[in-house]
Amino acid sequence: MTLALKIGRVIAKYGSKAWKAIKSGAAKYYDSLREAWEAGLYAFAKWLANHWYVLEIVKEALEAAGLM
């Protein structure tokens, strides 16, 4: 859950720049991630924790954009 919250903080800090990075690096999960984000940070972190295999993909996308 810690990595999920860290990703949430990065999105909160960088906003559309972070979403653009996620869309390019994890396009398959983008819509689901956005929906979870709109439900709040806790819901977003919980979604990521439940979909643990997406955590690393999103992390790598944010790192590639220099946001993490």
Side-chain angles (χ1 to χ4, degrees):
M1 189 77 121
T2 302
L3 180 56
L5 289 171
K6 185 175 181 179
I7 289 170
R9 281 188 240 120
V10 169
I11 293 171
K13 181 176 181 179
Y14 293 103
S16 63
K17 192 174 184 180
W19 285 113
K20 186 176 180 180
I22 291 169
K23 191 169 192 172
S24 67
K28 181 177 179 179
Y29 306 104
Y30 179 81
D31 291 335
S32 296
L33 286 163
R34 278 304 286 224
E35 186 176 321
W37 179 258
E38 295 300 322
L41 181 57
Y42 180 75
F44 179 76
K46 186 176 177 182
W47 187 92
L48 278 173
N50 289 331
H51 298 86
W52 53 268
Y53 49 89
V54 179
L55 275 171
E56 195 62 34
I57 296 167
V58 172
K59 179 184 170 212
E60 288 175 8
L62 292 171
E63 285 177 340
L67 304 177
M68 261 184 108

